[in-house]
Amino acid sequence: MVLLAADACLRADVVLPSLFSTHAVLQSAARVPVWGKADPGEAVTVTLGKAHADTVAGADGKWRVNLDLKSVGAGPFELVVQGRNRVVANDVFVGQVWVCSGQSNMEFQLRTSAGAADEYPKAGNPSLRQFQVAKVASPMPLDEVKGAWVVATPESVPSFSAVAYYFGKNLQHALDMPVGLINSSWGGTPVEAWTRTGAFDPDADLKAGAQTARADAVAFKEYLSRYRDWVQQQNRADRSFDAAAFNAEAKDAVGWVPVTLPGTFAAAGLPDAGAVWIERKITLPSSAVGAGLQVWFGDVNGSVRLYWNGVPFGEGGPETTVQRYAVNPKNVVAAEGVLTARIYNAAGAGGIASGQARFRIDYKGGSLQLAGEWQAKSEYAFPPLAAGAAVAPVKPTPPLFDHNVAGYLFDGMIHPLIPLAIAGVIWYQGEHNWNRGWQYRTAFRLMITDWRRQWGQGDFPFYFCQLPNYGAPPAKPGNSNWAEVRESQAAALALPNTGMAVLIDVGDAGNIHPADKRSVGDRLALVALAKTYGKNVVYSGPVYASQKIEGGQVRIDFSNTESGLATRPASSPVRGFMICGSDQKWQWAEARIENGAVVVRSPAVSAPVAVRYAWADNPDCNLYNGAGLPAAPFRTDTFPVASLTHKY
């Protein structure tokens, strides 16, 4: 009996990744990988409907089969895996599986999108399902993701990606097939984080930037380990404290001294090591009352706890790479307030590191710099380190967030999906690369190409969103960081089997997360229906084809002018063009639609050489085709761009 019990403990049950669980959608294809783990050498049988495959687990316990699901029908089915034990995933459909990835505008949930409440009652659809990939930033490739398949119901869809939901809903209705959406997205992330580091090898700058980012992340974690050990060894851990004694209206006013920050506490006669309280009266504009605040708190050598009018709202330790903290809108009840911080550090250089650009409060409509005079008071001081005591580890430059480090999101959230059979990918990202538009054209294409290489399913469809309009309207014509990213996104159309949804008319000047996600999902779906599924639908607005200089004007020809060029409103003049001569001084241009082209001119430019359209962060533009799809931003010049020297 003892031997049998020991054998049972050592034997590993057959297990499936969460991708192959109840309510899953699998791709309708002749070669659909299914994989898992078992005992080394264990025989494994996988069955779904009439599809059947056998294999034996390898020496590492991993096994994989390929099922032919091309003609099994939609289901629902049981996915049955039989080894020494039996695993069953119920209610499995076969249809179209799309990976939905990118940053916050892909992550953006249906609950916060425009018209969400009206959509919920119509959302019950057992043939539409989402798998939410748990957020994991990893320095090494992972084999498994956490998550579960969720069927679209009025109760579940509020947590769906809004873009993915509308995209999938359109496909499901048009194809009359089940659609599975794998939502692998994370807000505030650059394209480099979603790219396997080896993919950067062809580009020296990207390769070097990726190596530096990863090395900085490793060095910082090593520092944290050494720092914590040193604090314990030197008996310099933080102490318990009474916040009210330093952070309330009734606090003792004695002992507070002025200190200039950024700077060191020692300069004001305060202890270099220990705990120091600082405070400053803040006056905000009336527009900030009732709105949230973002407090950027520079670089603290140690730990910080923050209070707004005595109410705690944030804390960070030596592991905090970016000191940014949010004040709840309900606590901003007046234009005047008191910002208080308790800063603890175990050794030397107490204060706020000099040269901090991020030492400010952002409020609705503006920001307030925090540099200047504060009031400070010592809570306690550590004695000087004894002679011969270990020197405290030196804090390196704080690295990027883990989810911004090159390769970390590929390794944690994309690699575990491979080699799942998929129909394709939809992608909404680029905001985080806003000032590196020139480098983005290389990085983005390298990512797409490498995803396809790693998946091993050929040039599967990769359809992406071009950044929408955002920010203040331009005061004068010229360069634009966002326009440069948009141009680099469009450049990826040179890769096979790609498509782009132009969003230049559905953004929000004051919100980097525009609420209209229905238009985004609808336009991506048009691309997929036309290019992947062969439907006779118009999927693109006008695209620049060529220019012809005719004396003092320029004639611009377009492709994709379905039913002709048009403006919105229909009776309005064409807006959004700028023009320049050889001096490269841009002028707003007059434009008109003439014989299927746009003719552009300006009285200020007698000998034009180039034209740009919708070339601004938030351009005033109104050119469409007869199908109601907007013209893509473009430029006819090859002048050096503003982001040319900005590198990852």
Side-chain angles (χ1 to χ4, degrees):
M1 290 177 64
V2 171
L3 291 173
L4 288 172
D7 180 66
C9 292
L10 291 172
R11 189 176 67 235
D13 285 342
V14 171
V15 293
L16 281 170
S18 54
L19 286 168
F20 305 109
S21 56
T22 295
H23 306 313
V25 180
L26 301 181
Q27 179 65 25
S28 176
R31 187 179 178 86
V32 178
V34 178
W35 64 89
K37 294 180 180 179
D39 272 339
E42 183 174 353
V44 177
T45 299
V46 182
T47 305
L48 186 144
K50 297 178 181 179
H52 176 95
D54 299 303
T55 191
V56 174
D60 58 359
K62 296 179 180 179
W63 57 266
R64 171 179 161 182
V65 300
N66 292 309
L67 295 179
D68 183 355
L69 303 184
K70 189 64 177 176
S71 57
V72 299
F77 299 101
E78 285 187 339
L79 174 64
V80 180
V81 180
Q82 182 70 57
R84 292 193 180 99
N85 62 303
R86 188 171 186 263
V87 179
V88 179
N90 297 303
D91 187 38
V92 174
F93 275 2
V94 175
Q96 300 298 301
V97 179
W98 286 82
V99 172
C100 313
S101 189
Q103 59 178 111
S104 52
N105 275 304
M106 183 62 80
E107 186 180 0
F108 192 99
Q109 294 184 336
L110 185 66
R111 71 174 81 249
T112 48
S113 66
D118 294 333
E119 184 65 29
Y120 297 160
K122 301 177 284 186
N125 186 348
S127 294
L128 180 63
R129 301 169 179 203
Q130 177 182 265
F131 183 95
Q132 178 68 58
V133 174
K135 293 178 178 178
V136 176
S138 173
M140 61 189 67
L142 302 182
D143 292 331
E144 174 66 282
V145 292
K146 293 181 179 179
W149 285 96
V150 177
V151 179
T153 67
E155 296 74 30
S156 67
V157 295
S159 63
F160 276 39
S161 157
V163 170
Y165 169 79
Y166 286 116
F167 172 81
K169 176 184 176 180
N170 277 295
L171 261 59
Q172 200 281 314
H173 287 177
L175 303 174
D176 193 24
M177 295 179 68
V179 172
L181 307 165
I182 299 177
N183 180 9
S184 183
S185 55
W186 193 331
T189 53
V191 69
E192 292 85 359
W194 294 99
T195 307
R196 187 180 65 91
T197 52
F200 295 128
D201 287 350
D203 186 272
D205 286 339
L206 283 166
K207 181 178 180 180
Q211 290 174 339
T212 298
R214 292 176 70 92
D216 286 350
V218 171
F220 196 75
K221 287 180 172 59
E222 292 174 348
Y223 154 76
L224 289 175
S225 178
R226 294 195 305 271
Y227 172 82
R228 289 169 180 142
D229 288 345
W230 179 88
V231 166
Q232 296 303 317
Q233 293 165 3
Q234 300 298 318
N235 194 28
R236 297 171 85 85
D238 197 7
R239 305 171 184 175
S240 59
F241 61 93
D242 178 11
F246 295 86
N247 186 38
E249 290 185 11
K251 68 179 183 292
D252 187 351
V254 176
W256 292 83
V257 298
V259 60
T260 300
L261 298 174
T264 64
F265 292 146
L270 295 161
D272 241 353
V276 173
W277 289 80
I278 61 173
E279 71 170 26
R280 179 172 173 173
K281 292 182 179 180
I282 303 294
T283 301
L284 300 168
S286 58
S287 62
V289 177
L293 306 176
Q294 293 287 328
V295 178
W296 297 84
F297 213 71
D299 185 10
V300 176
N301 181 24
S303 301
V304 63
R305 293 173 183 261
L306 291 160
Y307 304 80
W308 179 259
N309 289 334
V311 179
F313 68 87
E315 60 181 279
E319 74 285 349
T320 306
T321 57
V322 178
Q323 303 275 358
R324 182 180 62 182
Y325 308 92
V327 181
N328 193 307
K330 70 179 183 180
N331 293 325
V332 187
V333 296
E336 292 191 349
V338 177
L339 176 61
T340 307
R342 178 185 186 268
I343 297 176
Y344 149 80
N345 69 297
I352 305 290
S354 61
Q356 292 299 309
R358 292 186 171 185
F359 189 43
R360 67 177 191 269
I361 296 177
D362 290 342
Y363 55 83
K364 184 179 180 181
S367 64
L368 174 70
Q369 297 299 318
L370 294 175
E373 185 175 292
W374 291 63
Q375 295 296 309
K377 184 176 181 178
S378 172
E379 177 187 324
Y380 71 84
F382 285 123
L385 287 169
V391 175
V394 177
K395 183 179 181 180
T397 301
L400 300 171
F401 286 125
D402 276 358
H403 59 272
N404 289 168
V405 175
Y408 273 33
L409 298 189
F410 176 85
D411 286 345
M413 299 176 66
I414 298 299
H415 183 272
L417 305 179
I418 299 170
L420 186 71
I422 59 174
V425 171
I426 58 172
W427 174 263
Y428 194 155
Q429 189 276 334
E431 300 91 338
H432 198 84
N433 291 77
W434 67 274
N435 67 338
R436 292 188 282 112
W438 184 256
Q439 195 177 43
Y440 193 87
R441 70 181 50 217
T442 301
F444 188 34
R445 284 187 279 187
L446 287 175
M447 189 201 79
I448 296 171
T449 301
D450 192 66
W451 278 27
R452 289 169 166 175
R453 183 183 300 116
Q454 299 306 311
W455 237 285
Q457 294 182 26
D459 291 334
F460 57 70
F462 196 105
Y463 304 141
F464 51 90
C465 298
Q466 191 181 53
L467 289 184
N469 48 308
Y470 169 68
K476 57 183 180 179
N479 291 324
S480 160
N481 281 305
W482 277 52
E484 291 174 18
V485 175
R486 294 186 192 111
E487 181 181 60
S488 290
Q489 291 173 319
L493 294 172
L495 296 175
N497 216 8
T498 53
M500 182 175 75
V502 175
L503 309 179
I504 200 62
D505 59 338
V506 296
D508 185 332
N511 192 344
I512 202 169
H513 306 116
D516 179 9
K517 292 297 189 279
R518 183 189 298 269
S519 296
V520 182
D522 288 353
R523 290 178 186 179
L524 282 169
L526 288 174
V527 178
L529 289 171
K531 293 176 69 70
T532 299
Y533 300 109
K535 301 295 184 180
N536 185 23
V537 296
V538 179
Y539 67 90
S540 171
V543 175
Y544 167 74
S546 63
Q547 76 167 5
K548 183 179 181 182
I549 299 173
E550 301 173 337
Q553 63 184 21
V554 181
R555 181 176 297 273
I556 305 295
D557 286 310
F558 295 86
S559 60
N560 299 92
T561 58
E562 181 74 19
S563 301
L565 297 172
T567 59
R568 286 191 172 185
S571 59
S572 62
V574 181
R575 301 191 306 272
F577 282 89
M578 61 181 74
I579 193 169
C580 80
S582 58
D583 60 1
Q584 300 185 21
K585 293 181 179 179
W586 292 100
Q587 305 290 335
W588 294 122
E590 302 168 1
R592 68 183 187 276
I593 298 172
E594 181 181 279
N595 297 326
V598 174
V599 177
V600 184
R601 65 175 298 277
S602 169
V605 181
S606 59
V609 299
V611 166
R612 292 178 176 180
Y613 173 73
W615 198 266
D617 293 5
N618 186 10
D620 177 18
C621 54
N622 66 340
L623 187 64
Y624 291 77
N625 63 12
L629 293 174
F634 68 91
R635 64 182 178 128
T636 68
D637 64 273
T638 57
F639 304 153
V641 294
S643 61
L644 192 61
T645 59
H646 296 174
K647 309 293 184 182
Y648 176 73

